[in-house]
Structures are given as structure tokens and as C-alpha cells.
């Protein structure tokens, strides 16, 4: 088994199941996906402020890139669920 196959097994056996521990899984994808994209957008909009406050521009780019990949995984998990658990947020 090569390294890529080991990584795919790790992803499917552990990472693809770990998301059940997070609260966003309780909400429907029409609530979660826009929220995740909003978080990314807020971070992207503050990129120049972060850099002006001394953060390395390359590190900020890497962070945002990793965030994009993470959001992609979250969206995949949300859309992949077979029995969605919807939580009524109308009264919150």
C-alpha cells in the first residue's frame, strides 16, 4: 500500500467520521454552508489588516488555502449525509 492509499484510508476511517462531533452537523446544509462561506469571506476581507498587523502574507495565504480545503470537506460531509438531522432555528 502506497502513501496515498494510506492517506485515503485515514480520511475515510477517521476524518470523514470526526465531523459528527461538531455542532454544525446538527443543522441543515442551507444554514451551515452559507455560514462557513461567511467565515471564509470575513477572513479574506481582513487579509490586508492581518498583514498590516505583522502577519506574514504567505502564511495568511496558506491559512486561507487550508481554510478553503476544510470548507470543501465540510460541505462534502453535509451534502453526503443520508439521514439529515434538521434543527429548527426559526425561534433562535
Amino acid at each position: 500500500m502506497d502513501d496515498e492509499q494510506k492517506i485515503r484510508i485515514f480520511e475515510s476511517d477517521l476524518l470523514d467520521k470526526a465531523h459528527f462531533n461538531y455542532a454544525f452537523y446538527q443543522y441543515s446544509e442551507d444554514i451551515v454552508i452559507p455560514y462557513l462561506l461567511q467565515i471564509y469571506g470575513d477572513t479574506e476581507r481582513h487579509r490586508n489588516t492581518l498583514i498590516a498587523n505583522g502577519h506574514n502574507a504567505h502564511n495568511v495565504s496558506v491559512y486561507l488555502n487550508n481554510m478553503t480545503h476544510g470548507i470543501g470537506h465540510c460541505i462534502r460531509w453535509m451534502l453526503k449525509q443520508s439521514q439529515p438531522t434538521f434543527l429548527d432555528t426559526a425561534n433562535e
Side-chain angles (χ1 to χ4, degrees):
M1 179 180 322
D2 65 13
D3 287 342
E4 186 172 335
Q5 290 171 322
K6 289 177 187 176
I7 291 169
R8 298 298 165 239
I9 290 171
F10 175 77
E11 287 176 336
S12 66
D13 291 349
L14 296 173
L15 297 181
D16 286 349
K17 295 177 181 146
H19 69 283
F20 288 107
N21 298 324
Y22 297 97
F24 75 79
Y25 192 72
Q26 299 173 23
Y27 296 95
S28 64
E29 65 271 7
D30 61 331
I31 294 171
V32 174
I33 293 171
Y35 180 71
L36 292 172
L37 294 174
Q38 179 185 2
I39 292 169
Y40 175 81
D42 289 347
T43 307
E44 181 66 55
R45 278 187 289 283
H46 292 291
R47 174 196 292 261
N48 292 336
T49 304
L50 292 169
I51 293 168
N53 288 333
H55 291 279
N56 181 289
H58 176 73
N59 290 345
V60 172
S61 293
V62 169
Y63 176 80
L64 288 168
N65 188 45
N66 289 337
M67 185 185 275
T68 303
H69 287 284
I71 289 171
H73 285 293
C74 291
I75 291 171
R76 178 174 48 99
W77 289 327
M78 290 300 300
L79 296 177
K80 197 174 174 182
Q81 57 183 327
S82 58
Q83 297 280 328
T85 306
F86 296 103
L87 182 63
D88 185 9
T89 60
N91 295 324
E92 291 184 9

